[in-house]
Amino acid sequence: MEIGAYSFGDTPLNPDGSAGSTAAAIRNLFDAIVTADRVGLDYFGIGEHHTVSMPASSPGAMIAAAAAATSRIILGSAASIISTDDPVRVFQQFATADAISGGGRVEITAGRGSSVETFPLFGYDLVDYDRLYAEKLDLLMTINDSAAETGHETVTWSGTVRPAIDNLAVVPRPVNGRLPIWLATGGNASSSARAGKLGLPISYGIIGGEPHRFAPLAELYRRSAAQAGHTDHSNTSNIKVSVATFGLVAPTKQEALDRFYPGWHNLNVEMGRLRGWGAPDRRQFLAQSHGAGAYYVGDPDDVAERIVHLHGYLGHMRHFMQGDFGGLPQEHLLESLTLLATEVKPRVERLLAAK
């Protein structure tokens, strides 16, 4: 199984608790990606958020910079909000990053947008939420498939949410012809069916509740893929499940809980103001941080065992975690990334091999 991390950027806090520099958050994120590559993590995803506390608003730019500074780690968006972006520009930015990386290390994960701040920011109406996504995903896939299927670098497409494209070049092309494109969802059944029908790998974002409740969705995804003729019985199959969760690793479980809780508290206060989340409750936090909960916060043994437990339900091939929000000190994030790569990953491999 691939083990990794993701981030939306995390603006550091000043000593008085006020927000620091968003530029510092981007620099910290860049350093975290370079560290993840150096210590041996498999994957790093850069999300798209447009808030002061989580300012990683441009995954393509971040991945292009990281592609130049890393050598082996897979880099992807987690996720690109294509509903409110232009799929042509998204593809061009990621294909450019792919070329810089040397090829084969850059992926696009296409999301509808749980971060709905992008709709007023870019002038879109939430009434068009799914139509925007469906058509722009179709355009993104059309661009990705065009050169591989026709041998040409031109694209022809028409829809209702964007001007048509008539035999125009979309360049550069990915080094290997296509970019891996994933579909991101927070647990919507129709999104699971859509990904299966289209033959796209699916990435579940699980930030609360019991993660194994996603098992029926993963089954729906695989069943939809099979009904559409997309097989998952080969090493090159595109039918794959990944899981993104909250999580932080420290030398001991208590240290992990103590490091993670302040940022979790700050995040919930902010999201309560922006999106109506409930007030943070430490009992709920602790319940989510143990056993079958959704927060993979613990020592290496604890986190590895819980990842493997979830694998028994979802059969996922990649598990990646976000721990940097609410002002997590950078040294705690870097230690967590190192422990994920050097302690958790080997444990997960041993536990899976023993099953």
Side-chain angles (χ1 to χ4, degrees):
M1 180 188 292
E2 295 178 3
I3 300 295
Y6 75 104
S7 174
F8 297 114
D10 182 21
T11 299
L13 299 179
N14 296 319
D16 65 358
S18 61
S21 161
T22 49
I26 298 302
R27 185 67 212 184
N28 284 347
L29 174 55
F30 176 82
D31 290 343
I33 299 169
V34 172
T35 296
D37 179 66
R38 177 175 55 78
V39 298
L41 277 182
D42 299 306
Y43 174 81
F44 206 110
I46 296 90
E48 179 180 344
H49 258 231
H50 298 262
T51 61
V52 172
S53 65
M54 292 186 280
S57 59
S58 181
M62 198 77 224
I63 288 172
T70 57
S71 60
R72 48 163 301 282
I73 196 168
I74 299 171
L75 303 165
S77 52
S80 294
I81 312 306
I82 62 166
S83 304
T84 53
D85 207 336
D86 187 324
V88 175
R89 292 300 287 160
V90 171
F91 183 86
Q92 291 172 327
Q93 291 161 1
F94 280 73
T96 298
D98 179 67
I100 292 170
S101 78
R105 289 201 294 124
V106 172
E107 303 178 347
I108 300 173
T109 300
R112 287 195 298 185
S114 62
S115 175
V116 295
E117 289 84 6
T118 62
F119 283 77
L121 184 61
F122 296 115
Y124 289 95
D125 193 329
L126 278 168
V127 170
D128 300 321
Y129 185 71
D130 193 66
R131 184 167 64 96
L132 283 165
Y133 183 71
E135 289 199 16
K136 291 191 175 184
L137 179 61
D138 179 66
L139 173 54
L140 184 64
M141 293 177 64
T142 299
I143 296 168
N144 200 33
D145 293 340
S146 58
E149 294 181 352
T150 68
H152 304 291
E153 296 178 337
T154 57
V155 174
T156 297
W157 179 88
S158 64
T160 65
V161 300
R162 183 198 186 282
I165 302 172
D166 184 12
N167 198 35
L168 295 176
V170 177
V171 291
R173 303 303 307 182
V175 173
N176 297 324
R178 284 189 173 98
L179 292 173
I181 295 177
W182 293 68
L183 187 149
T185 174
N188 185 286
S190 63
S191 294
S192 297
R194 171 185 279 155
K197 183 178 180 180
L198 294 174
L200 296 177
I202 194 165
S203 183
Y204 289 115
I206 307 176
I207 60 172
E210 295 183 337
H212 67 262
R213 77 186 191 283
F214 278 66
L217 293 172
E219 172 57 29
L220 171 63
Y221 162 67
R222 292 188 171 99
R223 187 167 64 250
S224 299
Q227 291 171 348
H230 304 296
T231 178
D232 64 350
H233 299 305
S234 72
N235 292 333
T236 59
S237 172
N238 215 27
I239 305 306
K240 296 182 286 193
V241 173
S242 71
V243 171
T245 65
F246 288 166
L248 191 77
V249 188
T252 68
K253 176 87 177 181
Q254 192 59 52
E255 286 174 293
L257 293 170
D258 292 343
R259 293 175 181 183
F260 190 77
Y261 180 75
W264 178 86
H265 180 276
N266 293 341
L267 173 69
N268 277 265
V269 169
E270 180 185 18
M271 291 298 114
R273 188 178 68 251
L274 295 175
R275 301 181 190 172
W277 289 17
D281 182 329
R282 189 174 180 89
R283 292 169 300 178
Q284 292 181 0
F285 165 75
L286 291 174
Q288 289 287 320
S289 301
H290 292 83
Y295 304 163
Y296 290 75
V297 178
D299 59 61
D301 284 323
D302 176 50
V303 172
E305 289 167 4
R306 295 175 63 202
I307 289 173
V308 172
H309 176 263
L310 182 61
H311 180 270
Y313 290 92
L314 298 186
H316 55 308
M317 50 70 64
R318 174 185 294 165
H319 194 118
F320 54 112
M321 309 193 317
Q322 179 193 17
D324 60 330
F325 44 71
L328 180 79
Q330 177 76 350
E331 62 268 28
H332 292 169
L333 173 62
L334 299 184
E335 184 174 26
S336 178
L337 297 175
T338 301
L339 290 171
L340 261 180
T342 61
E343 301 293 337
V344 175
K345 181 176 169 60
R347 285 167 167 78
V348 168
E349 292 172 345
R350 285 197 299 271
L351 291 169
L352 288 176
K355 292 184 99 178

